[in-house]
Amino acid sequence: MSQSPVDDFSPEKSLVYEQGWKALNRLLHEDRSFSGHEKNCAYLNTGDGTFADASYVTGLNFPDDGRGLALVDWDFDGDLDFWTTNRTAPRVRLMKNTSDSKAFTAVRLEGNGKNTNRDAIGARLRLYLKGESVPRVRSLRASEGFLSMSSNWIHFGLGKATAIDRLEVDWPGGKTETVGGLELGAFYLVRQGNAKPERWTRPAGLVPPAPSQPELPQESDASRAFLATRLQCPVLPITENGTARDLDKELSGPVLINLWASWCAPCVAELAEWSREAEKISAAGLRIIALNTDALDPDTGNAAEAVALLKKIKFPFDHFEAQEQTVQNLNLLQRAVLDRWLPLPVPSSFLLDQRGYLAAIYRGPVDVATLIQDVTNLNGSPDELRVHAVPFVGRWIHEAPTASPLGLATQFVDYSQPDQALNYLRRYIRTGGGSHLPESERRSHHADILFVLGALLEEDKQIDAAREVYKEAAALNPDDLRIRTDLSRLSSDSGNLEEAEKQLREALRINPDDSNSQRMLALALAQQQKYAEAVPHFKTLVEGSPNDDKLGLQFATVLDRANLPAEAIEQYKRVLGINPKTFAAANGIARIRATHPDPALRNGQEALILAQRLCQMTDNKNADFLDTLAMAHAELGEFDAAVIAVRRAAVLKPDNPALLARIALFEAKQPFRRATP
Amino acid sequence: MQFIRNFLLVFAGSALLSACDNGALPDETDVTGSVPVSPVESVPEPVAAEADIVTAPGLQNMELFPLLADAYGRIDPAKDGWDTEAFSEAANRQLHRLVEHFEAMEEELPEGLASPQFVSGELRPADQSSVFDDGSLKVTRATIGNQTPMHKGASGLNAAMRSYLGALGRDATHPHLKLKLFKVDANRTEILSKATGEVPGGRVQLDAHWVCAWDPSTEGRDPLLVSIDVLKHSETRYHGAAGQDSLFHDCTEAVLGNVPSYREQLLHSTDYWRLRIQRDMGLDVVANHGLAIGDVNGDLLDDLYVCQQGGLPNRLYIQQTDGTLRDATETSGTGWLDYCASALFVDFDNDGDRDLAVGQESRLLLMENDGTGKFELSFGISSRAQTFSIAAADYDGDGDVDLFACGYNPFGGSVRRGAMGHPMPYHDAQNGGPNILLRNDGNWEFNDATEESGLEQNNNRFAFAASFEDYDNDGDLDLYVANDYGRNNLYRQDNGKYTDVANQLGVEDMSSGMSVSWADVNHDGFMDLYVSNMFSAAGNRITYQRQFKDGLNDDTRQIFQRHARGNSLFQSDTKGGFTDVSVAAGVTMGRWAWSSRFMDFNNDGWDDLVIANGFISTEDTTDL
């Protein structure tokens, strides 16, 4: 938050803020604690307008990452218990209240289901105690706290009360009714239209819940994730007999890519098991490619020993030496798929399907039975595959999404490898990525990818290629504003303002409220001297950002150039109201007042005061302001003063033909009149 | 620069405080049909290695892209040019040493903690009065007067602390001391001290607010304590009549212990599943998943519905007469595997049983109960944004219950229309996803009434929670909405139309709103309002420094300071307005607070507060 822009929303400022978010976000993926180990709190209302910290004495100071919290007298023992949900394990807790005070009464309401809803949600209850005139007030609400709904039983704690006088119920959509005959320490059903409550007793058989701490299971470091939505595995560079090459076609599976090291006992044990079970594995149609990492860390590894070891265990599958990039690619691939980003361990294995797309990740060792089961389940539609990708039975409402290659591309970019990102996306498109999608989805999916590809090309200074890619993207998805924005920017950079304007008009067609496009269009029109056309766009922008002095100045200048002097003056004045140091606005007014052909708009005195002030504040070092001063003097018929001023301007800006012409004009005792279209 | 901006736009959608970092949120989804229930499958868990698995070689040379690396660096204020943070860190090290000393029960204070000039009065003020006593819970508070300097020199600190901790009682076991440094001004720091201990049949806690002065660090030496002044001191004791050690006890195992899904699913943390289910199924690190309690089978015993992330089914547990739960997820048809934030049990069709509303990632599902706890999908709609809390009430008084859903991030599809990804600006974001109000028109027909009801006003924030209540006692239901990154809404109802009066009534509570609770805390017949936010010690330290956004005007600076203050209590003035009594009532410190709510836990008729908090706890010891 310390990096959030407060009033400067320029792309540069925003970028720093966005990068801050991104970094923070990455840390959370990377298992960093953030306001972690905080203990839950309880405050006791001491009845005098203040509360006392009771977190510890109530026993609520356990350190779960709590989320939801809902109240209920679970065991009907006359005090409120509660359930919580947590981010951490255990994901739910029942906290039982052991209050010594059982001074309470609790009611459940039933509306008539006609003018009042059955649950009587929204009912207001006022409980009057004997001898008290101020009632205890409760309401029945569906939803309170965060993501939580509590019990519909309405619980009144009664403290030292000895008897209840009456209960008033404001039925939502109905009348207020009075209920009598309530006693302390009892549960009641209260029905709309019935003044007599029904006393209710919990069915016999309750076993009072005994306290104990949940026993959390021991968790293994090794994990398996079977994937329903699949990403293409990037090309994996390897070294074979001292020669570097890429694994590309070989990645069409079913194939298991395994990363191992000779000093890693679980790695070796796993490879030995696969060697023993080679027949079974091959019969299942699975190939294995073992990639050895020994050479990447000479302190611990020994590549020659690794080869010898494979011989010794008679490893029957392909094996190569991994390069640094190999491990990095696989590491980033797992990050693109899993939400939790832990460094890739050895051993790790990646199961690829027939298309070379990632079907399962095994961090740590994996046994043959698991491998064979996963190969058996390898193919199917994403909805079918989802059955195997989740650990429990259940139902889905939404269809399985399509995995986006952009996730991995982002990972490459974050690690300063835009070329890898570029190659990855190009290969995805080349090899028919996303071709299974229905036409319209495929088009926008490809447009999203081309949009990023264009950005990568731009970063690589391949501007023409980038423009072509953006154009292709816009053809695939004509309704993506981001693509239009980039096309307009490239056009504008290369001086093709007409094309920029066209793209920005498209952008505004897509989202008429997008102020960035509106602003860029307004500027593009102004640059093309289409001032009159620019005016309505600026007008909208200024209405949206009434405190933006820079924008206001642009608007005023455009109004001035569109020959709308009265409106221009009004705008210049508004800008000076926001920021009195906007010299250009004061100068704009002075120029109109000194030089406009319409005598009704001219006011030499006002122009002179403004120009003198401007020159004074800039120490007579600003040629434009001196020029304005000269024009103002001329307008007032003070031609000698005008000549002196314009000569001083000409000293600062020598050989300026306009200034030289004005010297001659004023020497001829003629005022200056601006040209109007 | 442009390139990175583009890239960020593609991956817009703030994952940090949101539920969705899956590249993009899904576009509007058709919810007319549902995918059938999956067949059972046993999932093999890989055999654990005997040796620990270790990081693969080849990753040591990965380098972050410079702008991002720079952003990483700036996350830690101590490394981002904040001298006061460097000082706080050093002072904190000293406070930790002090705590360790007392936890280890050492006689002698270690060298280099206190200055020879150290001086303090009694840290446990003698002048205390009882402010609460219900027989079990007792509270005393100190009146702070002039503090006679009686503990002097390095050994004085030892004596002062011993005398202070002596208040826990001679027979106290498991004594624990926590000192939290939350404000710094030159060489003075403000500290919250919490000392706790168990005593036979109960517990005791001492809560204090101290100002500590320090002799600043020199080369190779951390700062030395020069003085401690007590600003506030209170003692809270609990003694259960039956000898129980604390008011609340964890009884989860007793009611769920024999349920397989509890052991196999709910006893594993979110982080466990984040390595075992792919992110595209709908998992994230924040794990904002709630619960609903309600009777679904008409026996008047409450049942439990637990919301879960994508890939893990929501669970419906039915209470049996012995008080234990049985898993009815599969038979009830409610085991949604999609990311689910929230749920409600409400009788939407007025047939006498409670139906189920489910708030998913960007959808609302309504399921009709057949009266026995079996549910069928009756209505579904895209909620226009990422859904968090949902709330129900008959807002239009036509006899059936309507549904309101909080919108947080806008749809992923909107980035293609130029939407910004992250809340902008942080302290007053106006680019959040819209809330939606669904009017119940009977026969399971619900229609979007957001606009016609007036709730479209200021409907552009990051909404986390909402609750209906008649705050002005005029007989209709008003609505408070707690928003992250800035202002909250209080929609007052007048003749069926809502108007946001939060600003007018001073209850915008500009901060990080995460929950809403109502109760008449002071027995004046009007509902008061408790809103949860984030108390941040680091935020309190930084935002009071001149260096924090130097040149910022004082109003905006106060907004940032307010962001770190914590929870808020707004007391009704009984005339339709509110007074912010948070600080005077002593209820701001809820830490990173999610569900914070009123609850009369000691049955005395005065509503107390319980707060579920904590953002991300991991094994990592250096908390961000």
Side-chain angles (χ1 to χ4, degrees):
Chain A
M1 115 181 155
S2 69
Q3 286 145 24
S4 171
V6 174
D7 47 14
D8 180 354
F9 297 104
S10 64
E12 289 71 24
K13 267 277 172 139
S14 302
L15 178 65
V16 171
Y17 177 56
E18 297 271 359
Q19 287 296 331
W21 273 105
K22 200 166 177 190
L24 212 52
N25 187 7
R26 289 176 56 94
L27 287 170
L28 296 183
H29 283 294
E30 290 169 350
D31 261 26
R32 286 290 297 273
S33 213
F34 190 158
S35 284
H37 313 283
E38 292 191 339
K39 289 176 176 167
N40 295 327
C41 300
Y43 288 95
L44 175 73
N45 187 341
T46 52
D48 59 353
T50 64
F51 289 73
D53 192 323
S55 312
Y56 174 77
V57 297
T58 51
L60 295 191
N61 63 327
F62 49 89
D64 298 357
D65 292 342
R67 296 293 181 264
L69 191 156
L71 310 185
V72 55
D73 181 1
W74 190 259
D75 51 0
F76 289 93
D77 68 344
D79 52 31
L80 284 173
D81 315 305
F82 65 86
W83 284 88
T84 60
T85 56
N86 299 311
R87 195 195 81 86
T88 41
R91 300 295 300 278
V92 296
R93 273 191 209 266
L94 168 62
M95 296 302 291
K96 180 182 150 42
N97 193 336
T98 64
S99 174
D100 293 331
S101 165
K102 304 298 178 196
F104 82 101
T105 193
V107 298
R108 261 270 300 244
L109 303 180
E110 190 182 308
N112 59 20
K114 294 184 180 78
N115 54 319
T116 297
N117 71 86
R118 275 292 182 130
D119 288 342
I121 292 165
R124 173 66 67 91
L125 298 89
R126 288 178 298 277
L127 187 79
Y128 287 86
L129 298 173
K130 275 262 157 56
E132 284 189 17
S133 57
V134 181
R136 306 289 165 88
V137 180
R138 294 238 174 272
S139 296
L140 180 59
R141 289 179 286 272
S143 180
E144 192 160 357
F146 176 58
L147 310 176
S148 303
M149 175 165 180
S150 297
S151 170
N152 278 4
W153 281 100
I154 300 157
H155 183 99
F156 289 92
L158 299 178
K160 297 193 172 69
T162 50
I164 297 164
D165 184 65
R166 66 188 190 279
L167 174 70
E168 286 177 5
V169 182
D170 298 341
W171 294 93
K175 295 192 174 106
T176 300
E177 295 177 10
T178 302
V179 179
L182 296 172
E183 291 177 10
L184 264 74
F187 297 89
Y188 293 95
L189 305 178
V190 173
R191 297 191 176 86
Q192 192 175 11
N194 188 341
K196 280 186 72 178
E198 178 189 336
R199 190 166 177 148
W200 184 81
T201 319
R202 191 192 191 289
L206 174 80
V207 180
S212 70
Q213 276 302 313
E215 263 175 64
L216 298 181
Q218 274 288 319
E219 290 182 1
S220 157
D221 274 352
S223 62
R224 159 191 172 274
F226 185 87
L227 313 176
T229 71
R230 294 185 179 169
L231 274 184
Q232 188 169 34
C233 180
V235 166
L236 298 175
I238 50 113
T239 308
E240 184 179 20
N241 303 324
T243 313
R245 70 177 179 92
D246 284 343
L247 293 181
D248 187 337
K249 297 267 185 311
E250 296 92 329
L251 299 179
S252 298
V255 61
L256 187 76
I257 309 295
N258 167 261
L259 216 54
W260 73 287
S262 67
W263 44 262
C264 153
C267 298
V268 177
E270 173 181 63
L271 293 174
E273 192 205 343
W274 297 346
S275 303
R276 286 194 299 275
E277 306 272 4
E279 229 168 274
K280 230 193 246 178
I281 292 172
S282 299
L286 178 65
R287 289 183 294 120
I288 293 177
I289 300 176
L291 301 176
N292 179 263
T293 60
D294 277 45
L296 302 180
D297 187 355
D299 290 346
T300 53
N302 181 330
E305 213 166 85
V307 176
L309 206 150
L310 290 181
K311 268 205 183 118
K312 196 174 135 206
I313 61 168
K314 299 198 177 87
F315 186 69
F317 302 103
D318 285 341
H319 54 91
F320 307 105
E321 252 178 56
Q323 298 175 10
E324 227 171 57
Q325 188 73 50
T326 327
V327 185
Q328 292 182 6
N329 284 5
L330 290 171
N331 182 44
L332 297 184
L333 179 62
Q334 60 138 8
R335 285 175 167 238
V337 170
L338 300 173
D339 190 68
R340 191 171 171 199
W341 299 350
L342 299 184
L344 193 65
V346 279
S348 285
S349 300
F350 294 78
L351 179 65
L352 308 183
D353 66 14
Q354 278 85 345
R355 299 178 304 150
Y357 281 52
L358 182 62
I361 299 174
Y362 312 95
R363 297 170 43 89
V366 52
D367 60 44
V368 173
T370 306
L371 277 179
I372 288 177
Q373 186 187 320
D374 287 349
V375 172
T376 312
N377 294 330
L378 197 60
N379 299 312
S381 71
D383 282 340
E384 289 161 359
L385 291 174
R386 221 163 27 168
V387 172
H388 310 298
V390 300
F392 301 101
V393 172
R395 62 194 297 200
W396 293 94
I397 191 81
H398 82 281
E399 286 176 12
T402 300
S404 168
L406 297 177
L408 182 52
T410 307
Q411 294 283 347
F412 280 126
V413 170
D414 284 357
Y415 282 101
S416 312
Q417 302 182 4
D419 48 334
Q420 293 283 344
L422 198 66
N423 292 339
Y424 180 68
L425 294 182
R426 277 191 163 143
R427 178 158 163 269
Y428 178 80
I429 300 267
R430 195 176 64 234
T431 55
S435 56
H436 64 287
L437 291 169
E439 172 74 9
S440 66
E441 270 180 59
R442 187 180 51 75
R443 290 173 75 92
S444 72
H445 176 68
H446 278 178
D448 284 350
I449 292 160
L450 290 173
F451 166 64
V452 173
L453 202 53
L456 286 163
L457 287 164
E458 243 192 280
E459 181 72 2
D460 199 35
K461 308 273 184 289
Q462 302 184 47
I463 304 299
D464 290 336
R467 185 182 296 112
E468 289 315 305
V469 165
Y470 285 139
K471 278 188 183 161
E472 207 183 318
L476 281 168
N477 184 0
D479 296 332
D480 190 325
L481 184 139
R482 304 164 304 166
I483 300 169
R484 303 295 179 176
T485 307
D486 280 355
L487 273 172
S488 75
R489 185 176 38 76
L490 286 189
S491 303
S492 164
D493 287 353
S494 64
N496 188 348
L497 293 172
E498 223 166 295
E499 177 64 20
E501 180 192 328
K502 192 180 125 197
Q503 293 299 340
L504 289 166
R505 288 193 189 279
E506 284 291 314
L508 284 175
R509 171 187 62 76
I510 296 163
N511 183 359
D513 300 329
D514 187 63
S515 59
N516 185 44
S517 301
Q518 184 89 257
R519 190 169 198 147
M520 279 161 51
L521 177 59
L523 289 174
L525 289 166
Q527 279 173 308
Q528 294 176 85
Q529 303 184 0
K530 298 178 178 172
Y531 300 120
E533 274 183 71
V535 165
H537 294 289
F538 274 113
K539 197 157 186 287
T540 312
L541 284 165
V542 164
E543 279 163 9
S545 310
N547 297 318
D548 186 338
D549 54 334
K550 290 186 191 91
L551 179 72
L553 182 61
Q554 284 170 346
F555 184 28
T557 310
V558 163
L559 286 168
D560 203 347
R561 301 224 172 121
N563 196 28
L564 296 164
E567 291 87 340
I569 286 173
E570 190 190 324
Q571 236 358 269
Y572 281 131
K573 283 188 175 160
R574 201 186 59 85
V575 172
L576 285 168
I578 304 167
N579 180 1
K581 287 189 185 161
T582 316
F583 293 168
N587 194 42
I589 298 170
R591 287 275 174 113
I592 295 172
R593 294 296 190 216
T595 71
H596 202 277
D598 179 356
L601 283 164
R602 287 204 303 274
N603 182 336
Q605 201 55 47
E606 185 188 338
L608 185 68
I609 290 165
L610 284 168
Q612 278 173 335
R613 180 116 183 90
L614 284 168
C615 290
Q616 186 192 354
M617 289 178 80
T618 51
D619 264 348
N620 291 323
K621 297 269 166 55
N622 184 305
D624 283 344
F625 301 161
L626 288 164
D627 195 10
T628 309
L629 181 67
M631 294 169 185
H633 279 303
E635 169 62 17
L636 290 167
E638 302 161 5
F639 293 106
D640 294 347
V643 170
I644 291 167
V646 76
R647 283 209 165 121
R648 290 176 85 167
V651 171
L652 291 165
K653 267 192 184 174
D655 304 325
N656 182 308
L659 291 177
L660 297 177
R662 264 194 287 284
I663 293 172
L665 190 71
F666 297 154
E667 282 176 346
K669 303 205 183 300
Q670 294 289 319
F672 176 74
R673 292 285 170 261
R674 66 160 65 182
T676 50
Chain B
M1 291 295 238
Q2 182 59 35
F3 156 69
I4 301 147
R5 188 182 59 78
N6 284 339
F7 227 89
L8 282 158
L9 282 174
V10 177
F11 291 97
S14 109
L16 173 60
L17 299 177
S18 79
C20 196
D21 179 34
N22 307 343
L25 282 163
D27 288 322
E28 310 208 0
T29 314
D30 179 11
V31 287
T32 47
S34 71
V35 184
V37 172
S38 325
V40 187
E41 190 202 9
S42 71
V43 176
E45 179 70 17
V47 183
E50 280 180 19
D52 288 342
I53 53 176
V54 296
T55 301
L59 300 177
Q60 59 274 29
N61 296 327
M62 297 191 80
E63 268 181 39
L64 281 173
F65 155 68
L67 257 173
L68 187 55
D70 177 52
Y72 258 83
R74 271 184 281 108
I75 283 172
D76 184 350
K79 295 186 187 117
D80 190 24
W82 291 91
D83 294 342
T84 51
E85 280 301 280
F87 171 72
S88 296
E89 232 179 59
N92 252 328
R93 269 198 302 275
Q94 292 289 65
L95 294 172
H96 282 150
R97 285 180 67 201
L98 189 63
V99 167
E100 275 169 15
H101 162 71
F102 285 101
E103 293 202 333
M105 319 265 273
E106 290 160 358
E107 284 295 319
E108 291 298 312
L109 197 68
E111 291 284 303
L113 262 179
S115 151
Q117 278 79 48
F118 176 84
V119 61
S120 84
E122 282 295 9
L123 298 180
R124 184 196 188 194
D127 188 4
Q128 294 196 48
S129 48
S130 167
V131 293
F132 187 87
D133 185 353
D134 70 357
S136 309
L137 284 157
K138 296 182 169 64
V139 182
T140 58
R141 256 186 221 127
T143 314
I144 306 296
N146 282 336
Q147 290 160 44
T148 321
M150 52 198 315
H151 299 292
K152 291 178 181 164
S155 61
L157 174 62
N158 202 16
M161 291 299 295
R162 279 184 187 282
S163 150
Y164 169 64
L165 293 170
L168 293 175
R170 212 170 296 163
D171 42 6
T173 51
H174 303 102
H176 184 72
L177 174 66
K178 171 107 186 165
L179 302 174
K180 196 176 188 77
L181 196 164
F182 76 104
K183 234 174 233 177
V184 53
D185 178 15
N187 294 318
R188 289 157 63 83
T189 58
E190 288 185 44
I191 282 163
L192 295 176
S193 165
K194 185 183 282 283
T196 59
E198 290 174 21
V199 291
R203 290 183 170 198
V204 55
Q205 66 178 80
L206 318 176
D207 292 277
H209 181 174
W210 295 343
V211 174
C212 295
W214 301 83
D215 179 4
S217 330
T218 53
E219 194 69 40
R221 171 177 78 65
D222 277 338
L224 301 177
L225 263 172
V226 173
S227 68
I228 302 177
D229 284 297
V230 181
L231 294 186
K232 272 186 197 161
H233 178 92
S234 73
E235 302 182 6
T236 309
R237 290 181 165 73
Y238 173 74
H239 283 274
Q244 64 271 38
D245 61 337
S246 63
L247 185 63
F248 284 95
H249 289 136
D250 189 330
C251 291
T252 323
E253 291 270 327
V255 299
L256 270 174
N258 294 325
V259 179
S261 63
Y262 166 70
R263 306 217 78 85
E264 291 161 18
Q265 180 177 336
L266 301 179
L267 282 186
H268 289 293
S269 74
T270 299
D271 295 337
Y272 173 90
W273 294 115
R274 287 168 60 233
L275 285 178
R276 289 163 177 85
I277 301 171
Q278 72 181 121
R279 187 170 35 166
D280 272 2
M281 298 294 103
L283 286 91
D284 76 348
V285 61
V286 180
N288 284 333
H289 309 288
L291 74 166
I293 286 174
D295 168 27
V296 302
N297 55 354
D299 61 2
L300 292 165
L301 301 181
D302 279 311
D303 309 306
L304 171 69
Y305 191 68
V306 181
C307 303
Q308 291 274 280
Q309 51 264 77
L312 296 174
N314 297 346
R315 291 284 173 191
L316 175 62
Y317 296 112
I318 305 272
Q319 187 177 174
Q320 309 181 98
T321 47
D322 66 359
T324 64
L325 289 167
R326 77 180 156 81
D327 188 346
T329 307
E330 283 175 49
T331 51
S332 66
T334 57
W336 297 107
L337 285 160
D338 311 71
Y339 177 102
C340 179
S342 55
L344 301 177
F345 285 124
V346 170
D347 185 357
F348 286 107
D349 55 3
N350 281 335
D351 66 350
D353 55 40
R354 261 141 302 282
D355 310 301
L356 176 66
V358 175
Q360 292 189 347
E361 201 165 47
S362 55
R363 283 171 297 272
L364 297 169
L365 304 183
L366 298 184
M367 300 185 80
E368 181 178 356
N369 189 344
D370 71 356
T372 69
K374 288 193 178 60
F375 293 82
E376 281 213 29
L377 189 60
S378 293
F379 179 83
I381 194 173
S382 153
S383 55
R384 297 204 283 159
Q386 179 182 18
T387 304
F388 279 120
S389 297
I390 55 180
D394 179 13
Y395 87 96
D396 54 359
D398 65 352
D400 53 30
V401 181
D402 313 293
L403 185 65
F404 178 85
C406 294
Y408 194 84
N409 278 315
F411 274 129
S414 61
V415 297
R416 295 197 184 108
R417 300 183 72 244
M420 296 271 284
H422 297 290
M424 271 296 229
Y426 177 92
H427 66 283
D428 190 11
Q430 309 284 339
N431 59 335
N435 308 319
I436 184 171
L437 175 67
L438 291 177
R439 189 189 58 233
N440 187 346
D441 288 328
N443 294 320
W444 294 98
E445 203 184 302
F446 288 80
N447 289 295
D448 187 342
T450 320
E451 181 86 53
E452 67 175 41
S453 65
L455 292 178
E456 201 56 51
Q457 191 192 356
N458 298 330
N459 189 12
N460 53 0
R461 300 175 186 169
F462 291 78
F464 259 146
S467 191
F468 287 96
E469 182 54 73
D470 179 12
Y471 79 90
D472 51 1
N473 284 0
D474 68 349
D476 55 29
L477 289 171
D478 313 298
L479 174 67
Y480 193 85
V481 183
N483 301 311
D484 209 351
Y485 312 116
R487 300 167 204 271
N488 299 337
N489 317 98
L490 173 58
Y491 293 105
R492 185 185 63 211
Q493 187 177 160
D494 304 289
N495 306 317
K497 272 274 184 193
Y498 284 106
T499 313
D500 188 352
V501 293
N503 181 285
Q504 186 191 325
L505 299 188
V507 293
E508 281 189 318
D509 196 30
M510 234 170 139
S511 188
S512 318
M514 307 208 271
S515 86
V516 187
S517 187
W518 298 97
D520 178 13
V521 285
N522 55 347
H523 292 186
D524 63 2
F526 281 76
M527 289 293 177
D528 310 300
L529 172 65
Y530 193 58
V531 181
S532 80
N533 292 304
M534 304 182 304
F535 170 88
S536 164
N540 272 301
R541 293 196 303 263
I542 289 177
T543 54
Y544 286 85
Q545 302 305 318
R546 208 62 235 172
Q547 187 187 346
F548 178 77
K549 293 188 184 295
D550 202 8
L552 202 61
N553 66 53
D554 284 348
D555 288 352
T556 316
R557 178 179 298 272
Q558 275 166 18
I559 290 171
F560 277 94
Q561 289 166 354
R562 179 61 190 278
H563 266 74
R565 187 184 84 172
N567 291 357
S568 301
L569 175 60
F570 296 101
Q571 198 170 294
S572 169
D573 65 6
T574 73
K575 297 177 194 75
F578 290 92
T579 312
D580 183 348
V581 298
S582 321
V583 174
V587 293
T588 56
M589 173 56 173
R591 311 181 203 278
W592 190 304
W594 299 95
S595 264
S596 305
R597 60 159 302 155
F598 292 112
M599 169 187 194
D600 178 8
F601 54 63
N602 60 337
N603 266 345
D604 67 349
W606 294 90
D607 277 282
D608 314 299
L609 286 165
V610 287
I611 300 166
N613 61 25
F615 185 34
I616 313 270
S617 299
T618 68
E619 286 168 20
D620 171 31
T621 50
T622 54
D623 202 72
L624 287 173

